[in-house]
Amino acid sequence: MPSPEVMIFVVLGGLIAIGSPIAVALAMAGVVGIVMGLPSQMLGTLGTNTYNAIAKYPLVAIPLFVLTGTIFERSGVAANLVRFARALVGPRRGGLAVVATLVCLIMGGMSGSGPADAAAVAMVMAPSMAKAGYPRAFTATVIAASASTAILIPPSVALIIYSILVPGVDLRALFAAGLFPGLLAGLAVIGPSVWLSRRYGFEGGEGDERPPLWESFVGALPALFAPVIILGGLRSGLFTPTEAAVVAVAYGVFIGTAIYRNLGWRDLYRAFADSAVLSAVILLIISLAGIFAWAGNTLGAFDQLANAVLGVSDDPAVALALVMALLLVAGMVLDGVSIYLILIPILMPVMQGFQWNATWFGILMAMTIAVGQFTPPVAVNLMVTTKVTDVPMERTIGWALWMVTAMVAALALVIIFPQIALWLPETLGYRV
């Protein structure tokens, strides 16, 4: 019979493999560890640990940013941003692919959710890209890869969770640190998108007429102000990250009802209801992950696994390569929130053992998970865009490999030059 420390991971992996919900897998793995390795009265801690996992003030930001993304998605923001981006880029080969990436980057500064951005942008861009001659599989891949930058561009739900799980990390520093790597990731998608468009003759420049620049800019201005308000308020100290989420919701409701006038009472109700369901799923995973985290820490399972990783090599570069490979594989089959909750307790001792900067490491985690979000066979962002474009995921593999290669190159740059991530938070005076 395997030891409790081993069984906690065997049960977790087995349940995930058979398709069990992540929340159930985390809770059951923790319960098995408690039953096998601790006194039976420790089962009485299940309720306490479930509650303690979500009884954290910063977590209030998660449902609020989810609501923000839903409101912006349904208020016509994406359509106005697309029009402005098309006015900037103009009709050229690969132009619509560049537009899709730019819009995803801006939308990422509102919702912090890759799948939400992928859905909103795909709904608007897919018909135009199909009309311009882009294959549906290419369209789905470009939008999925571009939307993966939302995990880096502040406000990122994944970075909020990281700041809660890793003691001493300043969320404002994380948000600032994610900005330039996020833009770099966007450029990494644009490069192969334009090259492939020219190579295969997508969009010969004879598409729809270029929108007037000033008129489209004015139409997009309310949406463009959203990231400015969120990040500007954080930088000025006017509000905390949690309060920023409240401001973002209020601003989204205002521009949706008073400016774009695409949100009625029925639409708002639907947005609140859908956001509540999605937020409940996220918080349920976090709460039940508290059982897994407590059991793993109490049994010493996380320390043992971390020591095993540390024992593979004392070379930080080799260890980091192993960690990145693990995160990439995890990103292919799991969502970002689940990956953080499962792997951070394991990786934190490794990070501390090699004395890696916690802010920098958090950004590396986010970039690696971002790559996994559009890497088949699962790839949560691709699942969304292939559904919108009605194309089988297997047809995206050839296109996705180009995007993955470019994004991995961007990740390598952030590994080699940590200041790409750390310069901005250091300049702004945040603790990194």
Side-chain angles (χ1 to χ4, degrees), residues 3-295:
S3 66
E5 294 85 349
V6 174
M7 280 301 297
I8 195 172
F9 296 112
V10 170
V11 171
L12 177 65
L15 289 174
I16 292 175
I18 64 174
S20 175
I22 296 296
V24 174
L26 287 165
M28 291 304 299
V31 169
V32 168
I34 292 171
V35 170
M36 292 185 62
L38 297 172
S40 58
Q41 58 264 33
M42 289 295 100
L43 287 172
T45 64
L46 294 181
T48 303
N49 287 313
T50 302
Y51 171 76
N52 288 341
I54 57 172
K56 298 178 174 69
Y57 175 70
L59 283 178
V60 176
I62 291 179
L64 290 170
F65 277 127
V66 169
L67 177 58
T68 301
T70 304
I71 289 174
F72 276 113
E73 175 190 344
R74 301 181 185 187
S75 62
V77 165
N80 283 278
L81 289 175
V82 165
R83 191 164 185 266
F84 174 54
R86 292 185 68 174
L88 283 177
V89 175
R92 65 186 73 240
R93 291 206 185 276
L96 286 179
V98 175
V99 167
T101 302
L102 292 177
V103 174
C104 284
L105 286 170
I106 299 172
M107 291 286 289
M110 302 176 193
S111 70
S113 169
D117 290 354
V121 177
M123 293 286 287
V124 177
M125 290 297 304
S128 298
M129 293 182 74
K131 181 180 177 182
Y134 290 89
R136 290 180 297 162
F138 178 82
T139 297
T141 305
V142 169
I143 296 175
S146 302
S148 71
T149 59
I151 200 174
L152 288 160
I153 301 291
S156 163
V157 171
L159 292 182
I160 293 172
I161 294 174
Y162 181 86
S163 71
I164 293 169
L165 296 177
V166 180
V169 174
D170 187 340
L171 179 56
R172 296 172 303 169
L174 272 176
F175 278 177
L179 187 58
F180 286 143
L183 296 175
L184 180 62
L187 290 173
V189 175
I190 288 175
S193 298
V194 172
W195 181 76
L196 289 168
S197 297
R198 292 178 176 175
R199 179 180 178 183
Y200 292 102
F202 305 152
E203 191 179 359
E206 68 282 354
D208 295 337
E209 184 179 349
R210 186 174 189 169
L213 180 59
W214 177 251
E215 181 183 329
S216 59
F217 170 71
V218 172
L221 198 56
L224 295 172
F225 259 119
V228 175
I229 291 173
I230 295 171
L231 298 179
L234 289 173
R235 175 66 189 103
S236 65
L238 188 61
F239 37 72
T240 67
T242 305
E243 292 164 349
V246 179
V247 173
V249 169
Y251 183 70
V253 171
F254 171 73
I255 68 170
T257 55
I259 306 297
Y260 294 135
R261 299 184 180 180
N262 291 326
L263 286 178
W265 288 110
R266 186 184 298 274
D267 302 309
L268 278 175
Y269 170 77
R270 195 70 257 160
F272 275 90
D274 291 347
S275 300
V277 171
L278 180 56
S279 300
V281 171
I282 295 173
L283 292 175
L284 179 63
I285 295 173
I286 294 173
S287 65
L288 295 182
I291 300 173
F292 175 76
W294 184 85

Side-chain angles (χ1 to χ4, degrees), residues 9 12 26 56 59 62 151 156-169 171 174 286 289 292-294 296-297 301-307 309 323-324 326-327 330 334-353 356-366 369:
F9 296 112
L12 177 65
L26 287 165
K56 298 178 174 69
L59 283 178
I62 291 179
I151 200 174
S156 163
V157 171
L159 292 182
I160 293 172
I161 294 174
Y162 181 86
S163 71
I164 293 169
L165 296 177
V166 180
V169 174
L171 179 56
L174 272 176
I286 294 173
F292 175 76
W294 184 85
N297 281 323
F302 298 149
D303 289 336
Q304 290 182 29
L305 191 56
N307 289 334
V309 174
V323 170
M324 295 297 105
L326 172 63
L327 289 169
L334 297 173
D335 63 279
V337 172
S338 300
I339 294 170
Y340 274 82
L341 293 171
I342 294 170
L343 293 183
I344 284 180
I346 301 168
L347 296 178
M348 199 157 40
V350 178
M351 177 183 69
Q352 294 167 345
W356 293 329
N357 181 281
T359 302
W360 172 71
F361 185 70
I363 299 304
L364 294 186
M365 283 190 69
I369 294 169

Side-chain angles (χ1 to χ4, degrees), residues 385-410:
T385 57
T386 52
K387 183 176 180 180
V388 173
T389 56
D390 191 25
V391 63
M393 186 178 291
E394 55 267 23
R395 288 176 54 189
T396 67
I397 294 176
W399 304 117
L401 289 176
W402 291 101
M403 312 296 170
V404 169
T405 302
M407 191 82 86
V408 169

Side-chain angles (χ1 to χ4, degrees), residues 114-115 118 140 143-145 147-149 370 373-374 378-386:
I143 296 175
S148 71
T149 59
Q373 287 185 334
F374 64 93
V378 179
V380 291
N381 285 4
L382 261 182
M383 289 177 65
V384 172
T385 57
T386 52

